[in-house]
Amino acid sequence: MRPTAFGWVDDDVSTAPDWDRAQVRRLADRLGYRIIWSDVRSVLSVVDQVRNAGVDTVILPAPEHLGALELNRVMNVADVETVLPRLSFARWYAAGTAR
């Protein structure tokens, strides 16, 4: 069973959404994730979609596809990977929690 990743491309930020989706898909394959795409018709926030999907990681084309506050919220529930620049953000862990 492969771990899952949530693919997120903000169409308002992207100048080439299809290209960005392809890049996210390639990174997911390279990292060994099965990708689950966001529902563009959903009224839920990104973090709620991520939480409902139960994924391990969120993959973005670039950091600007999530605002700073959204990124902070997402990192409470999942790791974040970006294609360009190639960055990895580990999810937040509360101090004192059991591993």
Side-chain angles (χ1 to χ4, degrees), residues 11-78:
D11 290 335
D12 293 334
V13 172
S14 179
T15 57
D18 291 336
W19 173 254
D20 284 342
R21 284 182 185 79
Q23 295 292 5
V24 166
R25 194 175 308 111
R26 279 189 208 103
L27 180 58
D29 288 342
R30 191 168 63 231
L31 296 176
Y33 288 103
R34 181 176 57 86
I35 194 117
I36 297 171
W37 289 100
S38 60
D39 182 356
V40 294
R41 297 167 295 171
S42 179
V43 295
L44 295 175
S45 67
V46 177
V47 70
D48 288 333
Q49 290 185 58
V50 169
R51 190 178 294 114
N52 288 344
V55 297
D56 303 299
T57 301
V58 175
I59 302 178
L60 312 166
E64 55 269 9
H65 283 257
L66 282 180
L69 293 176
E70 290 174 308
L71 177 61
N72 181 56
R73 288 184 196 114
V74 168
M75 288 177 59
N76 283 305
V77 296

Side-chain angles (χ1 to χ4, degrees), residues 64-99:
E64 55 269 9
H65 283 257
L66 282 180
L69 293 176
E70 290 174 308
L71 177 61
N72 181 56
R73 288 184 196 114
V74 168
M75 288 177 59
N76 283 305
V77 296
D79 298 335
V80 175
E81 302 281 346
T82 63
V83 175
L84 192 64
R86 182 66 192 93
L87 298 170
S88 297
F89 301 94
R91 75 183 78 191
W92 303 121
Y93 287 101
T97 58
R99 291 186 180 180

